[in-house]
Amino acid sequence: MSNWIEVGQVNDIPKLGARVVKSLRGDIAVFRTADDEIFAIVDECPHSGGPLSQGIVHGKAVACPLHNWNIDLETGDVLDPDHGCTRVIEVAITDGLIRIFVEAEATGTHG
């Protein structure tokens, strides 16, 4: 099963903040940058599983709160000197409403 789910309005997420969407395949972190861009990635650092939604957003990247690995929000790739990646979730915004594409039905949001 796959579908688009509504996350909320862009303004519901603070600049440089995140919201977590629960899904049957794990948590998804939805980020808002200082430039009001929205990105979504799996809420798990590829290094040791740290919750990326609790990391610090800078530019189009987030720093994992556990070991400061930096993950590119556009690609999900870990930035040098570290290596790895996390899955990017497709985002659509219509009239300020954020939707993300999930393969299984989400269960709710928080954060």
Side-chain angles (χ1 to χ4, degrees):
M1 179 176 174
S2 63
N3 58 14
W4 288 90
I5 61 167
E6 294 181 2
V7 174
Q9 295 290 320
V10 170
N11 289 333
D12 293 340
I13 302 174
K15 288 189 178 201
L16 305 178
R19 171 163 287 184
V20 176
V21 178
K22 299 280 189 188
S23 85
L24 296 177
R25 295 188 178 209
D27 291 351
I28 298 168
V30 181
F31 296 93
R32 180 179 174 191
T33 68
D35 295 330
D36 294 326
E37 292 183 277
I38 302 294
F39 298 98
I41 58 176
V42 171
D43 190 21
E44 185 176 302
C45 180
H47 174 236
S48 61
L52 297 174
S53 59
Q54 295 178 27
I56 297 172
V57 176
H58 52 95
K60 294 181 182 180
V62 62
C64 177
L66 296 184
H67 300 99
N68 202 34
W69 278 34
N70 290 288
I71 290 85
D72 185 307
L73 294 172
E74 289 183 298
T75 65
D77 292 337
V78 174
L79 301 175
D80 286 335
D82 302 305
H83 301 283
C85 67
T86 192
R87 190 163 51 97
V88 173
I89 309 298
E90 192 172 352
V91 174
I93 301 172
T94 305
D95 296 328
L97 178 64
I98 304 166
R99 291 184 179 90
I100 60 172
F101 187 84
V102 294
E103 295 176 12
E105 187 174 331
T107 59
T109 63
H110 65 88

